Amino acid sequence: MEGTAVATDIRCFAGSVGLLIDRTSHREQVLSTVWLLDDNKAATCAHSMLLFTEFLGALKVRFPATGEERGIVSAHFHPKFRRRTTTQMAQQALIDSTPMLPLQKHNAVVLALSHSLPNLPTEVVIEVNRRVTPPAPPRDHGMGGSLSEIDLALVIQTITNARKEGLLILSDERNRTIARIFCQEGKVVHAQLESLINEMALYQIVSMKLDGSFYFCSTPDSNMQGVTAIARPAESLLLEAHRRMDELAKLKERLGGRLGDGDGLWARTDPHIKLNMLAPEVQEAAKALWPLLDGAIPASQLWRIARLDDYAVFSALVELLRTGQIEDRSHESIKFTMKTAALPVGAQTPLSPWDSISSLVVDPSGRPLIKTGSLLGSLRAQDPNHLVHNLALLPESAGSPLFKNGLVIGMHCGGLPPDPGAGAADNSNLQQMLWIDSILQCLTEGSDVELARKLSKTGLEIPKPGESKRPDPGCREVARINCPKCGASSLESARFCKTCGQKLIQEIQYQPKRSEGQARASGGSSWKAALASFAVLITLLGAAVGALMCLPASPNIVPVEYVSVPETPWIKVVAMLAKKPTAEERGGFAELPKSAEAEHGDIMYLKVNPEESGYVYILWKETSSPTAKMLYPITDKDDNAQLGGEEFTCPRVIGEQLADKNVEVNVFALGPPAGVDTCIAISSPTGSTLQSQSTLKKETNVRESPAINSVYEKADAFLSNWPFEGVLVDAKMLGEGIFKDPDKRVYLTRLKIAHH
């Protein structure tokens, strides 16, 4: 469908927005939101279906606005999406809080749909449930039971009265962790339920009347560093929790009519809240809730994004309704003809920070829920694919389309997790969006190039002669937010305030660790080991941040102008080495550990993996040589932008693969004298003049020039000054006229190979 940039009420597209549903779940769990690209293609977030890729028949897509249900035939993931790593995260998320799961790069998949829903064999239901159900904890190594048989308050009282120290884990019918409560010295120290922590989490846990299972294991750590411990005694907490639960039903009734079930959609009647009109005890809750009252989130779900328990939410709603500051919009009639059809795509739409954008979600009853907010900018420098917006949405809304001027310009992924100790209200609703171009790349990867071309057409008017050039599509300006500590506006590397070093959001890159599910399978002592390991990991991360905090600038910024450390490396290089007697044997190469030494006569090649798309330059300096050489690029064909994730070898042989693929690869030998040879890899978003102003030495197949040696020396100096594997520097710092855009940043990393 060819996009048209006209004002459109996007509620008319509700028939094209569906829900991805797990058919094997007793309650048919909603996994994510999907939207149509054409009659039989739909897009959503890849993470939501990773555990079902071998059993696509266990899933279905329901379009609530039309009542239509479809099966799934195939799934085409984004070519740069890391399925293996993210699958590990999805498995860990079954038993551990993993907020970075939906935030992985290129988190997109295109589903091919069928118009019929296949039968679901019993053996598939059994196998899927086996895969998504973590092992039950061993009862002989801790206290456990069913919450339908033992009241949660009694469980907590038993633990605190015995002054036990450890973690109480609450799980659903599939043993998936719902909540955690940490007890110590007769107190409830910490609690966590989704985005709620401490008192609010405990109050909500009690009010939900969970009927799953519980397990208590001894551990000396809550794994919630940076969060202030609960001060109130356990008895007082439980009394308050039950008081709030008892009064909650009355609060819901005071909202009136059908809304008593919490299904109301409340919206502001005025842009500004009048706090002085409200009862003092609800003013703080009303202030936190106010930005979320736009008629797009059912009242019963507001606790999941407001960081308030249901009692605080409904207390504030009752007061806001009493003072006429909100109104219910749940009964608004929809005057549009809603049908299942492809959504209009704006692949060529230019985007800028603070553009007005809207999300479209359809709840299970078929109501279209529209939320309007702003695009804030890109998450990382020079990355137009991963953007930040401020439309606070529920976890199941991952995959929902985001619109600008009636055209889909992106897909919602999930919320960026704020630092739990920062107390930053302004940062609690930062969300990640995937640019629409990523969806088109999925189509291309799935051999649906024609549909990708069709969707990428633009309906924007072409500028007339003499008019300014239309901006490039997408958005490359880094998002800016206000630091809760110093007020400065920044989002440097998506984590820290560059002025004072305050952590703005948690780390969103996955760090594999031993999961609770593994610990459950190996007994109580394994639980202790797993939790202790996690505590050590958190301590080490805290120490690293603390060390960086001692620097004059922020934790993620090196205190030298033009130099910074990226959140993830742009390029990785490893040395593949083989002993000379096995040099001619295919498959004889193995990665050389960084701490190991090679011997003279060993042969090797470099394995180069560009994590980010861009130009790659590999420089090499031997111990015996006074000058550096360039190993890559050698030919004009090589001196082009490399696609991120496409690994290659150096020295490179065009058209040939690695030795472990039973094909020969170019190699070079390590020779005397003893010393350290050094490789420096440069990743740049723009090209360089290094090849054009160098001479090719055909006998050694390398390039040499004073410019190459100068760039090597400067890059080596940057890397020698700071204890990081790689740094970003302004291109102009490596020499005038070296890079075609000197104001861009280039990434430098180094590999040293010792030999004797």
Side-chain angles (χ1 to χ4, degrees):
M1 176 180 292
E2 186 170 325
T4 54
V6 296
T8 305
D9 190 325
I10 61 175
R11 286 179 294 179
C12 67
F13 299 135
S16 302
V17 177
L19 304 174
L20 182 66
I21 294 174
D22 174 9
R23 300 173 67 191
T24 68
S25 169
H26 175 67
R27 300 170 184 173
E28 290 203 334
Q29 179 190 6
V30 175
L31 302 175
S32 66
T33 298
V34 305
W35 51 281
L36 286 176
L37 295 162
D38 73 354
D39 184 57
N40 64 348
K41 293 284 194 313
T44 189
C45 287
H47 79 275
S48 62
M49 57 165 299
L50 281 176
L51 299 182
F52 299 85
T53 51
E54 296 180 28
F55 301 95
L56 295 179
L59 301 175
K60 68 179 178 181
V61 175
R62 176 187 297 153
F63 294 93
T66 62
E68 185 179 357
E69 291 189 339
R70 304 244 196 122
I72 299 175
V73 178
S74 62
H76 298 291
F77 293 86
H78 191 283
K80 293 176 66 176
F81 177 65
R82 298 183 176 181
R83 290 180 59 179
R84 181 176 179 181
T85 299
T86 314
T87 299
Q88 293 174 350
M89 295 177 64
Q91 292 168 339
Q92 178 184 315
L94 297 175
I95 44 83
D96 193 8
S97 176
T98 316
M100 72 286 289
L101 174 59
L103 304 175
Q104 298 308 291
K105 291 183 178 181
H106 311 290
N107 183 15
V109 63
V110 170
L111 307 176
L113 306 181
S114 63
H115 285 272
S116 60
L117 198 61
N119 293 328
L120 186 60
T122 302
E123 54 269 25
V124 172
V125 176
I126 294 173
E127 179 60 21
V128 170
N129 275 282
R130 185 187 69 81
R131 294 196 179 198
V132 299
T133 302
R139 295 294 176 88
D140 57 340
H141 289 286
M143 181 177 72
S146 172
L147 290 173
S148 61
E149 300 175 359
I150 305 176
D151 186 68
L152 176 61
L154 179 59
V155 175
I156 295 175
Q157 287 176 324
T158 301
I159 295 170
T160 54
N161 289 341
R163 303 183 70 82
K164 294 287 187 180
E165 182 175 10
L167 193 63
L168 177 62
I169 296 174
L170 310 181
S171 306
D172 65 9
E173 70 277 2
R174 280 179 164 176
N175 288 335
R176 297 173 299 190
T177 298
I178 299 173
R180 291 178 174 78
I181 301 173
F182 182 73
C183 301
Q184 186 180 59
E185 295 296 323
K187 296 181 180 180
V188 174
V189 181
H190 292 304
Q192 183 178 22
L193 171 68
E194 292 193 20
S195 63
L196 298 183
I197 59 173
N198 288 0
E199 290 95 339
M200 286 295 175
L202 186 65
Y203 298 154
Q204 187 67 22
I205 290 168
V206 171
S207 71
M208 290 173 68
K209 300 180 182 180
L210 300 173
D211 58 359
S213 58
F214 70 89
Y215 177 78
F216 179 79
C217 63
S218 297
T219 175
D221 201 325
S222 69
N223 298 332
M224 291 188 69
Q225 280 77 5
V227 179
T228 304
I230 298 173
R232 298 179 67 172
E235 295 82 359
S236 175
L237 278 173
L238 291 174
L239 284 173
E240 175 63 13
H242 282 87
R243 181 191 72 82
R244 297 166 86 97
M245 180 179 66
D246 292 340
E247 293 188 12
L248 180 59
K250 300 176 183 177
L251 290 171
K252 290 183 177 181
E253 289 177 3
R254 290 175 64 182
L255 291 178
R258 176 174 175 268
L259 306 179
D261 62 5
D263 202 31
L265 298 173
W266 296 97
R268 303 177 293 271
T269 58
D270 189 273
H272 306 290
I273 188 172
K274 300 178 179 66
L275 288 175
N276 58 350
M277 298 177 63
L278 306 176
E281 62 270 18
V282 304
Q283 288 184 3
E284 285 302 313
K287 184 179 178 181
L289 196 61
W290 186 254
L292 305 175
L293 299 178
D294 52 10
I297 303 291
S300 61
Q301 300 295 312
L302 283 169
W303 70 268
R304 303 177 69 191
I305 56 176
R307 297 191 175 185
L308 302 169
D309 72 320
D310 266 340
Y311 174 83
V313 168
F314 282 91
S315 295
L317 289 177
V318 166
E319 274 292 284
L320 289 168
L321 180 62
R322 181 187 66 82
T323 57
Q325 299 188 63
I326 59 174
E327 62 183 4
D328 173 50
R329 294 183 182 172
S330 58
H331 299 303
E332 286 187 351
S333 59
I334 305 302
K335 300 178 181 179
F336 302 97
T337 301
M338 294 182 288
K339 60 181 181 179
T340 305
L343 292 182
V345 167
Q348 303 297 330
T349 302
L351 304 175
S352 301
W354 301 110
D355 278 351
S356 177
I357 62 174
S358 301
S359 64
L360 172 59
V361 176
V362 181
D363 72 5
S365 69
R367 295 183 300 186
L369 307 178
I370 310 298
K371 184 179 283 287
T372 301
S374 299
L375 174 68
L376 302 182
S378 65
L379 182 60
R380 305 174 184 87
Q382 303 169 3
D383 181 0
N385 292 294
H386 302 87
L387 308 175
V388 182
H389 66 89
N390 62 5
L391 282 67
L393 297 167
L394 297 173
E396 307 89 72
S397 299
S400 57
L402 298 174
F403 294 80
K404 177 185 174 182
N405 296 333
L407 301 176
V408 179
I409 46 89
M411 182 172 72
H412 171 68
C413 293
L416 296 173
D419 178 59
D426 288 343
N427 301 340
S428 60
N429 290 328
L430 294 177
Q431 312 286 318
Q432 179 168 295
M433 162 185 145
L434 203 60
W435 185 29
I436 188 63
D437 197 55
S438 295
I439 310 300
L440 302 182
Q441 292 168 15
C442 286
L443 289 172
T444 303
E445 179 70 9
S447 301
D448 209 338
V449 178
E450 288 305 315
L451 178 58
R453 289 174 179 170
K454 181 180 178 181
L455 291 172
S456 65
K457 292 180 180 179
T458 176
L460 296 174
E461 292 185 5
I462 300 174
K464 297 178 182 178
E467 293 182 345
S468 59
K469 180 183 177 183
R470 180 174 58 82
D472 291 333
C475 181
R476 288 171 171 78
E477 295 183 54
V478 178
R480 299 289 182 180
I481 61 173
N482 293 329
C483 173
K485 183 176 180 181
C486 70
S489 177
S490 67
L491 187 56
E492 184 68 41
S493 294
R495 292 188 63 200
F496 297 99
C497 171
K498 67 180 181 181
T499 301
C500 69
Q502 170 69 43
K503 185 190 290 184
L504 301 175
I505 64 171
Q506 296 183 57
E507 174 64 74
I508 63 175
Q509 294 303 314
Y510 176 55
Q511 299 293 335
K513 61 177 180 286
R514 180 177 171 84
S515 69
E516 289 177 8
Q518 292 171 307
R520 290 178 184 180
S522 55
S525 60
S526 298
W527 271 79
K528 295 179 183 180
L531 292 168
S533 298
F534 184 68
V536 170
L537 174 62
I538 295 296
T539 302
L540 291 175
L541 288 174
V545 171
L548 288 170
M549 285 283 287
C550 296
L551 298 174
S554 69
N556 212 29
I557 302 299
V558 180
V560 169
E561 191 178 10
Y562 307 121
V563 183
S564 64
V565 180
E567 186 175 314
T568 55
W570 289 13
I571 188 171
K572 294 180 180 178
V573 181
V574 298
M576 304 297 294
L577 183 133
K579 300 298 179 183
K580 190 171 184 180
T582 62
E584 303 305 324
E585 298 177 11
R586 297 182 175 119
F589 290 90
E591 181 177 337
L592 177 68
K594 291 184 179 180
S595 58
E597 284 196 16
E599 298 180 1
H600 298 154
D602 291 349
I603 64 170
M604 61 167 290
Y605 66 88
L606 300 173
K607 185 188 293 185
V608 183
N609 186 6
E611 298 284 326
E612 300 286 340
S613 297
Y615 292 79
V616 174
Y617 300 92
I618 306 296
L619 310 184
W620 180 269
K621 188 174 185 297
E622 300 173 345
T623 302
S624 59
S625 174
T627 59
K629 306 171 179 61
M630 187 162 72
L631 300 184
Y632 183 89
I634 297 299
T635 67
D636 292 338
K637 185 177 181 179
D638 291 336
D639 197 13
N640 289 297
Q642 301 291 327
L643 184 63
E646 289 195 355
E647 185 179 278
F648 65 88
T649 66
C650 185
R652 188 166 184 174
V653 180
I654 304 299
E656 294 187 356
Q657 302 179 38
L658 299 182
D660 58 6
K661 300 290 182 63
N662 205 32
V663 180
E664 292 184 359
V665 63
N666 270 8
V667 296
F668 54 91
L670 295 171
V676 178
D677 293 352
T678 304
C679 167
I680 288 182
I682 304 173
S683 176
S684 169
T686 60
S688 163
T689 61
L690 286 177
Q691 182 189 359
S692 61
Q693 58 178 309
S694 62
T695 302
L696 176 61
K697 301 293 184 180
K698 294 184 178 180
E699 63 276 10
T700 55
N701 203 34
V702 298
R703 286 190 173 272
E704 296 180 352
S705 74
I708 290 174
N709 190 63
S710 175
V711 169
Y712 173 91
E713 296 293 344
K714 291 176 180 178
D716 190 55
F718 277 119
L719 293 165
S720 298
N721 285 333
W722 310 110
F724 305 108
E725 290 190 4
V727 297
L728 284 170
V729 304
D730 281 10
K732 59 188 174 186
M733 300 303 292
L734 296 180
E736 294 295 331
I738 298 298
F739 290 92
K740 296 177 181 178
D741 190 342
D743 293 325
K744 295 290 187 182
R745 293 209 149 189
V746 298
Y747 180 77
L748 311 175
T749 187
R750 180 173 60 181
L751 176 67
K752 289 182 173 290
I753 302 168
H755 54 89
H756 61 274

